[in-house]
Amino acid sequence: MTHVATHPLLTTFQRLVSENTIFRQDEPLARRTTMRVGGTAEFYCEPANEPELSRLLEFTQNSDIPFMLLGRGSNLLIRDGGIPGLVICLSQPDFSRITIDGQTLRCGAGARLKHVAVEARRQGLAGLEFLEGIPGSVGGALRMNAGAMGGAMFAVTQSIRYMTLGGQTHNLPAAEIQSNYRHCPFFETHVALAATLNVHSDTSEAIERRMKEGSEKRWKSQPAAPSAGCIFKNPTTIPSGKLIEELGLKGKRIGGAAVSDVHGNFIVNENQATAEDVLALIEFIQQKALTERGIRLETEVQIVGVNKSLLSGS
Ligand SMILES: Cc1cc2nc3c(=O)[nH]c(=O)nc-3n(C[C@H](O)[C@H](O)[C@H](O)COP(=O)(O)OP(=O)(O)OC[C@H]3O[C@@H](n4cnc5c(N)ncnc54)[C@H](O)[C@@H]3O)c2cc1C
C-alpha cells in the first residue's frame, strides 16, 4: 500500500475545525459530478456546521487560497487537471435539513431538490413540483436560478441565508438579490446556506399528478446517459437543442463525448469521455452555430478547474 504524505496545508485546515468536518486530499471529482469527467480537488471538505465553514472561509480569504463550492455536480464540467485549492461541499446534515412550519418551507443549501419537492408534497404544500426532476442541490439551484416547467428558483424563494467570503452570516429577502435566466451573480461571490421557499396548500394527489407529468415529460425528452443537463443557454431566437438539431449535430462524437440523439442540447458521456473531449465538442458546436447561423452559443454548464496540459507543462 502506498502512503501519501499529508500536505501541511491540510493539517492547517484540520486544526481550524472539529473532527466532524471531513477533509480529503487529491479527491477525485468525476464521481461527484453527473457528467462523470474531470480531475481531482487539491483539497476537498464537507464542513460540519456554519461556524466551521466560517473559519475555513476566513482562513482561505486571508491566505489567498482559492476555493469553490460544489453542490451535486449536476451543472459542472470540471477540467481534467482538476481544481486547485479547496473544494467545499455543504452535504453534511447541518446544511441539508428541510423544515416545514405551516406554509413556510426552509431548506439548507445541501438539500437535494428532489427531497425538497417530495417533502413539500408529503405535507400537502404545492409550488415546488418543478424541482423534482432537477438533480441538483438548493445551493446550486440558487446559484444557477434553476428552473423547469415554467418555475424558477428565485420565483419561489422568499428569503436567503448566506455567508460572505470572509465568513460572516446574513439573511436577506430574495427580492433584494438580482437573478436572471440561469444565473445569479450574487452567488458568484457569496455562499448560499439556506433558503425559505414560498408554498401553498393543495391536495397531495394534485401535487403528485403534476410531479408525475413533469417526470414523464423528462423521461421522454432527456437522455439517461451521464450528462450535465443543458450545455448551452437558449439564445432568444431559437432553443439551443433545436438549433443543434438543425445543424445536423445530433450524434456528433469527439472521443467519448457525444451530442445526445434524444436532445440536441445535451452532451453525454458515452464512453469514458474526458473533459477535453466534452470541451472540444462544445467548441465545435459553438463554431458551427456561429459560422452557419451567426448565433453565439453561451454555455449554461459551469466550466471550472485547470487543463491537464497546464499541469504537465506541455
Ligand atoms: C439530467 C439533468 C437535468 C437537468 N435539468 C435541469 C432543469 O430542468 N433546469 C435547470 O435549471 N437545470 C437543470 N439541470 C442542471 C442542474 O441540475 C442545475 O443547474 C442545478 O441547480 C445545479 O445544482 P448542483 O447542486 O448540482 O450544483 P453544482 O453543479 O454542484 O454547481 C453549480 C454552480 O453552483 C455553485 N454552487 C453550488 N453550491 C453553492 C452554494 N451553496 N453557494 C454558492 N454557490 C454554489 C457551484 O460553485 C457552481 O458554480 C439538469 C442537469 C442534469 C444532469
Side-chain angles (χ1 to χ4, degrees), residues 245-262:
E245 185 167 359
E246 285 180 9
L247 290 169
L249 293 177
K250 268 187 161 182
K252 166 77 187 166
R253 285 172 172 71
I254 295 186
V259 176
S260 163
D261 290 320
V262 183

mmCIF file with all atom_site columns, all heavy atoms in Angstrom, residues 245-262:
data_model
loop_
_atom_site.group_PDB
_atom_site.id
_atom_site.type_symbol
_atom_site.label_atom_id
_atom_site.label_alt_id
_atom_site.label_comp_id
_atom_site.label_asym_id
_atom_site.label_entity_id
_atom_site.label_seq_id
_atom_site.pdbx_PDB_ins_code
_atom_site.Cartn_x
_atom_site.Cartn_y
_atom_site.Cartn_z
_atom_site.occupancy
_atom_site.B_iso_or_equiv
_atom_site.pdbx_formal_charge
_atom_site.auth_seq_id
_atom_site.auth_comp_id
_atom_site.auth_asym_id
_atom_site.auth_atom_id
_atom_site.pdbx_PDB_model_num
ATOM 1   N N   . GLU A 1 245 ? -29.899 20.521 -33.498 1.00 0.00 ? 245 GLU A N   1
ATOM 2   C CA  . GLU A 1 245 ? -30.520 19.501 -34.363 1.00 0.00 ? 245 GLU A CA  1
ATOM 3   C C   . GLU A 1 245 ? -30.532 19.990 -35.813 1.00 0.00 ? 245 GLU A C   1
ATOM 4   O O   . GLU A 1 245 ? -30.168 19.247 -36.731 1.00 0.00 ? 245 GLU A O   1
ATOM 5   C CB  . GLU A 1 245 ? -31.942 19.226 -33.872 1.00 0.00 ? 245 GLU A CB  1
ATOM 6   C CG  . GLU A 1 245 ? -32.592 18.108 -34.639 1.00 0.00 ? 245 GLU A CG  1
ATOM 7   C CD  . GLU A 1 245 ? -33.875 17.589 -33.994 1.00 0.00 ? 245 GLU A CD  1
ATOM 8   O OE1 . GLU A 1 245 ? -34.264 18.079 -32.920 1.00 0.00 ? 245 GLU A OE1 1
ATOM 9   O OE2 . GLU A 1 245 ? -34.474 16.687 -34.599 1.00 0.00 ? 245 GLU A OE2 1
ATOM 10  N N   . GLU A 1 246 ? -30.923 21.258 -36.013 1.00 0.00 ? 246 GLU A N   1
ATOM 11  C CA  . GLU A 1 246 ? -30.970 21.805 -37.384 1.00 0.00 ? 246 GLU A CA  1
ATOM 12  C C   . GLU A 1 246 ? -29.580 21.845 -38.025 1.00 0.00 ? 246 GLU A C   1
ATOM 13  O O   . GLU A 1 246 ? -29.441 21.763 -39.232 1.00 0.00 ? 246 GLU A O   1
ATOM 14  C CB  . GLU A 1 246 ? -31.575 23.213 -37.355 1.00 0.00 ? 246 GLU A CB  1
ATOM 15  C CG  . GLU A 1 246 ? -33.087 23.198 -37.146 1.00 0.00 ? 246 GLU A CG  1
ATOM 16  C CD  . GLU A 1 246 ? -33.722 24.580 -37.110 1.00 0.00 ? 246 GLU A CD  1
ATOM 17  O OE1 . GLU A 1 246 ? -33.037 25.590 -37.409 1.00 0.00 ? 246 GLU A OE1 1
ATOM 18  O OE2 . GLU A 1 246 ? -34.907 24.650 -36.759 1.00 0.00 ? 246 GLU A OE2 1
ATOM 19  N N   . LEU A 1 247 ? -28.545 21.982 -37.191 1.00 0.00 ? 247 LEU A N   1
ATOM 20  C CA  . LEU A 1 247 ? -27.167 21.995 -37.715 1.00 0.00 ? 247 LEU A CA  1
ATOM 21  C C   . LEU A 1 247 ? -26.685 20.575 -38.051 1.00 0.00 ? 247 LEU A C   1
ATOM 22  O O   . LEU A 1 247 ? -25.554 20.383 -38.509 1.00 0.00 ? 247 LEU A O   1
ATOM 23  C CB  . LEU A 1 247 ? -26.212 22.633 -36.693 1.00 0.00 ? 247 LEU A CB  1
ATOM 24  C CG  . LEU A 1 247 ? -26.355 24.158 -36.475 1.00 0.00 ? 247 LEU A CG  1
ATOM 25  C CD1 . LEU A 1 247 ? -25.560 24.601 -35.259 1.00 0.00 ? 247 LEU A CD1 1
ATOM 26  C CD2 . LEU A 1 247 ? -25.904 24.931 -37.714 1.00 0.00 ? 247 LEU A CD2 1
ATOM 27  N N   . GLY A 1 248 ? -27.522 19.604 -37.776 1.00 0.00 ? 248 GLY A N   1
ATOM 28  C CA  . GLY A 1 248 ? -27.189 18.208 -38.098 1.00 0.00 ? 248 GLY A CA  1
ATOM 29  C C   . GLY A 1 248 ? -26.166 17.609 -37.138 1.00 0.00 ? 248 GLY A C   1
ATOM 30  O O   . GLY A 1 248 ? -25.431 16.682 -37.507 1.00 0.00 ? 248 GLY A O   1
ATOM 31  N N   . LEU A 1 249 ? -26.135 18.138 -35.917 1.00 0.00 ? 249 LEU A N   1
ATOM 32  C CA  . LEU A 1 249 ? -25.080 17.685 -34.998 1.00 0.00 ? 249 LEU A CA  1
ATOM 33  C C   . LEU A 1 249 ? -25.508 16.621 -33.989 1.00 0.00 ? 249 LEU A C   1
ATOM 34  O O   . LEU A 1 249 ? -24.691 16.161 -33.195 1.00 0.00 ? 249 LEU A O   1
ATOM 35  C CB  . LEU A 1 249 ? -24.509 18.902 -34.241 1.00 0.00 ? 249 LEU A CB  1
ATOM 36  C CG  . LEU A 1 249 ? -23.740 19.890 -35.122 1.00 0.00 ? 249 LEU A CG  1
ATOM 37  C CD1 . LEU A 1 249 ? -23.270 21.084 -34.308 1.00 0.00 ? 249 LEU A CD1 1
ATOM 38  C CD2 . LEU A 1 249 ? -22.553 19.199 -35.783 1.00 0.00 ? 249 LEU A CD2 1
ATOM 39  N N   . LYS A 1 250 ? -26.778 16.239 -33.987 1.00 0.00 ? 250 LYS A N   1
ATOM 40  C CA  . LYS A 1 250 ? -27.187 15.157 -33.072 1.00 0.00 ? 250 LYS A CA  1
ATOM 41  C C   . LYS A 1 250 ? -26.365 13.914 -33.396 1.00 0.00 ? 250 LYS A C   1
ATOM 42  O O   . LYS A 1 250 ? -26.239 13.537 -34.569 1.00 0.00 ? 250 LYS A O   1
ATOM 43  C CB  . LYS A 1 250 ? -28.670 14.856 -33.248 1.00 0.00 ? 250 LYS A CB  1
ATOM 44  C CG  . LYS A 1 250 ? -29.561 15.648 -32.311 1.00 0.00 ? 250 LYS A CG  1
ATOM 45  C CD  . LYS A 1 250 ? -30.986 15.160 -32.442 1.00 0.00 ? 250 LYS A CD  1
ATOM 46  C CE  . LYS A 1 250 ? -31.832 15.548 -31.283 1.00 0.00 ? 250 LYS A CE  1
ATOM 47  N NZ  . LYS A 1 250 ? -33.209 15.021 -31.420 1.00 0.00 ? 250 LYS A NZ  1
ATOM 48  N N   . GLY A 1 251 ? -25.787 13.295 -32.402 1.00 0.00 ? 251 GLY A N   1
ATOM 49  C CA  . GLY A 1 251 ? -24.980 12.099 -32.638 1.00 0.00 ? 251 GLY A CA  1
ATOM 50  C C   . GLY A 1 251 ? -23.514 12.394 -32.935 1.00 0.00 ? 251 GLY A C   1
ATOM 51  O O   . GLY A 1 251 ? -22.695 11.483 -32.977 1.00 0.00 ? 251 GLY A O   1
ATOM 52  N N   . LYS A 1 252 ? -23.165 13.677 -33.123 1.00 0.00 ? 252 LYS A N   1
ATOM 53  C CA  . LYS A 1 252 ? -21.750 14.037 -33.375 1.00 0.00 ? 252 LYS A CA  1
ATOM 54  C C   . LYS A 1 252 ? -20.885 13.609 -32.171 1.00 0.00 ? 252 LYS A C   1
ATOM 55  O O   . LYS A 1 252 ? -21.250 13.857 -31.022 1.00 0.00 ? 252 LYS A O   1
ATOM 56  C CB  . LYS A 1 252 ? -21.673 15.562 -33.600 1.00 0.00 ? 252 LYS A CB  1
ATOM 57  C CG  . LYS A 1 252 ? -20.277 16.150 -33.543 1.00 0.00 ? 252 LYS A CG  1
ATOM 58  C CD  . LYS A 1 252 ? -19.497 15.888 -34.812 1.00 0.00 ? 252 LYS A CD  1
ATOM 59  C CE  . LYS A 1 252 ? -18.055 16.328 -34.659 1.00 0.00 ? 252 LYS A CE  1
ATOM 60  N NZ  . LYS A 1 252 ? -17.187 15.817 -35.710 1.00 0.00 ? 252 LYS A NZ  1
ATOM 61  N N   . ARG A 1 253 ? -19.752 12.980 -32.478 1.00 0.00 ? 253 ARG A N   1
ATOM 62  C CA  . ARG A 1 253 ? -18.903 12.461 -31.396 1.00 0.00 ? 253 ARG A CA  1
ATOM 63  C C   . ARG A 1 253 ? -17.500 13.037 -31.456 1.00 0.00 ? 253 ARG A C   1
ATOM 64  O O   . ARG A 1 253 ? -16.936 13.178 -32.549 1.00 0.00 ? 253 ARG A O   1
ATOM 65  C CB  . ARG A 1 253 ? -18.763 10.945 -31.519 1.00 0.00 ? 253 ARG A CB  1
ATOM 66  C CG  . ARG A 1 253 ? -19.972 10.207 -31.092 1.00 0.00 ? 253 ARG A CG  1
ATOM 67  C CD  . ARG A 1 253 ? -19.899 8.718  -31.408 1.00 0.00 ? 253 ARG A CD  1
ATOM 68  N NE  . ARG A 1 253 ? -21.035 8.054  -30.784 1.00 0.00 ? 253 ARG A NE  1
ATOM 69  C CZ  . ARG A 1 253 ? -22.297 8.187  -31.191 1.00 0.00 ? 253 ARG A CZ  1
ATOM 70  N NH1 . ARG A 1 253 ? -22.578 8.955  -32.234 1.00 0.00 ? 253 ARG A NH1 1
ATOM 71  N NH2 . ARG A 1 253 ? -23.275 7.554  -30.568 1.00 0.00 ? 253 ARG A NH2 1
ATOM 72  N N   . ILE A 1 254 ? -16.941 13.316 -30.275 1.00 0.00 ? 254 ILE A N   1
ATOM 73  C CA  . ILE A 1 254 ? -15.496 13.575 -30.178 1.00 0.00 ? 254 ILE A CA  1
ATOM 74  C C   . ILE A 1 254 ? -15.007 12.751 -28.988 1.00 0.00 ? 254 ILE A C   1
ATOM 75  O O   . ILE A 1 254 ? -15.481 12.946 -27.852 1.00 0.00 ? 254 ILE A O   1
ATOM 76  C CB  . ILE A 1 254 ? -15.170 15.079 -29.994 1.00 0.00 ? 254 ILE A CB  1
ATOM 77  C CG1 . ILE A 1 254 ? -15.595 15.878 -31.244 1.00 0.00 ? 254 ILE A CG1 1
ATOM 78  C CG2 . ILE A 1 254 ? -13.666 15.270 -29.699 1.00 0.00 ? 254 ILE A CG2 1
ATOM 79  C CD1 . ILE A 1 254 ? -15.202 17.350 -31.238 1.00 0.00 ? 254 ILE A CD1 1
ATOM 80  N N   . GLY A 1 255 ? -14.091 11.824 -29.247 1.00 0.00 ? 255 GLY A N   1
ATOM 81  C CA  . GLY A 1 255 ? -13.637 10.920 -28.180 1.00 0.00 ? 255 GLY A CA  1
ATOM 82  C C   . GLY A 1 255 ? -14.840 10.188 -27.604 1.00 0.00 ? 255 GLY A C   1
ATOM 83  O O   . GLY A 1 255 ? -15.677 9.684  -28.342 1.00 0.00 ? 255 GLY A O   1
ATOM 84  N N   . GLY A 1 256 ? -14.951 10.207 -26.275 1.00 0.00 ? 256 GLY A N   1
ATOM 85  C CA  . GLY A 1 256 ? -16.067 9.501  -25.630 1.00 0.00 ? 256 GLY A CA  1
ATOM 86  C C   . GLY A 1 256 ? -17.295 10.377 -25.424 1.00 0.00 ? 256 GLY A C   1
ATOM 87  O O   . GLY A 1 256 ? -18.265 9.947  -24.795 1.00 0.00 ? 256 GLY A O   1
ATOM 88  N N   . ALA A 1 257 ? -17.261 11.617 -25.922 1.00 0.00 ? 257 ALA A N   1
ATOM 89  C CA  . ALA A 1 257 ? -18.407 12.527 -25.729 1.00 0.00 ? 257 ALA A CA  1
ATOM 90  C C   . ALA A 1 257 ? -19.243 12.593 -26.996 1.00 0.00 ? 257 ALA A C   1
ATOM 91  O O   . ALA A 1 257 ? -18.700 12.564 -28.100 1.00 0.00 ? 257 ALA A O   1
ATOM 92  C CB  . ALA A 1 257 ? -17.901 13.924 -25.376 1.00 0.00 ? 257 ALA A CB  1
ATOM 93  N N   . ALA A 1 258 ? -20.554 12.690 -26.819 1.00 0.00 ? 258 ALA A N   1
ATOM 94  C CA  . ALA A 1 258 ? -21.442 12.731 -27.993 1.00 0.00 ? 258 ALA A CA  1
ATOM 95  C C   . ALA A 1 258 ? -22.605 13.679 -27.742 1.00 0.00 ? 258 ALA A C   1
ATOM 96  O O   . ALA A 1 258 ? -23.070 13.822 -26.605 1.00 0.00 ? 258 ALA A O   1
ATOM 97  C CB  . ALA A 1 258 ? -21.980 11.330 -28.270 1.00 0.00 ? 258 ALA A CB  1
ATOM 98  N N   . VAL A 1 259 ? -23.060 14.327 -28.823 1.00 0.00 ? 259 VAL A N   1
ATOM 99  C CA  . VAL A 1 259 ? -24.302 15.089 -28.726 1.00 0.00 ? 259 VAL A CA  1
ATOM 100 C C   . VAL A 1 259 ? -25.421 14.055 -28.680 1.00 0.00 ? 259 VAL A C   1
ATOM 101 O O   . VAL A 1 259 ? -25.472 13.151 -29.519 1.00 0.00 ? 259 VAL A O   1
ATOM 102 C CB  . VAL A 1 259 ? -24.487 16.027 -29.949 1.00 0.00 ? 259 VAL A CB  1
ATOM 103 C CG1 . VAL A 1 259 ? -25.827 16.743 -29.870 1.00 0.00 ? 259 VAL A CG1 1
ATOM 104 C CG2 . VAL A 1 259 ? -23.341 17.028 -30.049 1.00 0.00 ? 259 VAL A CG2 1
ATOM 105 N N   . SER A 1 260 ? -26.281 14.179 -27.672 1.00 0.00 ? 260 SER A N   1
ATOM 106 C CA  . SER A 1 260 ? -27.320 13.169 -27.478 1.00 0.00 ? 260 SER A CA  1
ATOM 107 C C   . SER A 1 260 ? -28.238 13.055 -28.699 1.00 0.00 ? 260 SER A C   1
ATOM 108 O O   . SER A 1 260 ? -28.595 14.064 -29.306 1.00 0.00 ? 260 SER A O   1
ATOM 109 C CB  . SER A 1 260 ? -28.137 13.533 -26.240 1.00 0.00 ? 260 SER A CB  1
ATOM 110 O OG  . SER A 1 260 ? -29.345 12.829 -26.233 1.00 0.00 ? 260 SER A OG  1
ATOM 111 N N   . ASP A 1 261 ? -28.630 11.822 -29.013 1.00 0.00 ? 261 ASP A N   1
ATOM 112 C CA  . ASP A 1 261 ? -29.610 11.599 -30.081 1.00 0.00 ? 261 ASP A CA  1
ATOM 113 C C   . ASP A 1 261 ? -31.004 12.003 -29.616 1.00 0.00 ? 261 ASP A C   1
ATOM 114 O O   . ASP A 1 261 ? -31.890 12.233 -30.415 1.00 0.00 ? 261 ASP A O   1
ATOM 115 C CB  . ASP A 1 261 ? -29.662 10.093 -30.445 1.00 0.00 ? 261 ASP A CB  1
ATOM 116 C CG  . ASP A 1 261 ? -28.391 9.666  -31.156 1.00 0.00 ? 261 ASP A CG  1
ATOM 117 O OD1 . ASP A 1 261 ? -27.898 10.444 -31.988 1.00 0.00 ? 261 ASP A OD1 1
ATOM 118 O OD2 . ASP A 1 261 ? -27.888 8.557  -30.857 1.00 0.00 ? 261 ASP A OD2 1
ATOM 119 N N   . VAL A 1 262 ? -31.188 12.056 -28.293 1.00 0.00 ? 262 VAL A N   1
ATOM 120 C CA  . VAL A 1 262 ? -32.515 12.337 -27.731 1.00 0.00 ? 262 VAL A CA  1
ATOM 121 C C   . VAL A 1 262 ? -32.774 13.848 -27.662 1.00 0.00 ? 262 VAL A C   1
ATOM 122 O O   . VAL A 1 262 ? -33.861 14.312 -27.979 1.00 0.00 ? 262 VAL A O   1
ATOM 123 C CB  . VAL A 1 262 ? -32.627 11.724 -26.303 1.00 0.00 ? 262 VAL A CB  1
ATOM 124 C CG1 . VAL A 1 262 ? -34.024 11.926 -25.724 1.00 0.00 ? 262 VAL A CG1 1
ATOM 125 C CG2 . VAL A 1 262 ? -32.233 10.270 -26.303 1.00 0.00 ? 262 VAL A CG2 1
#
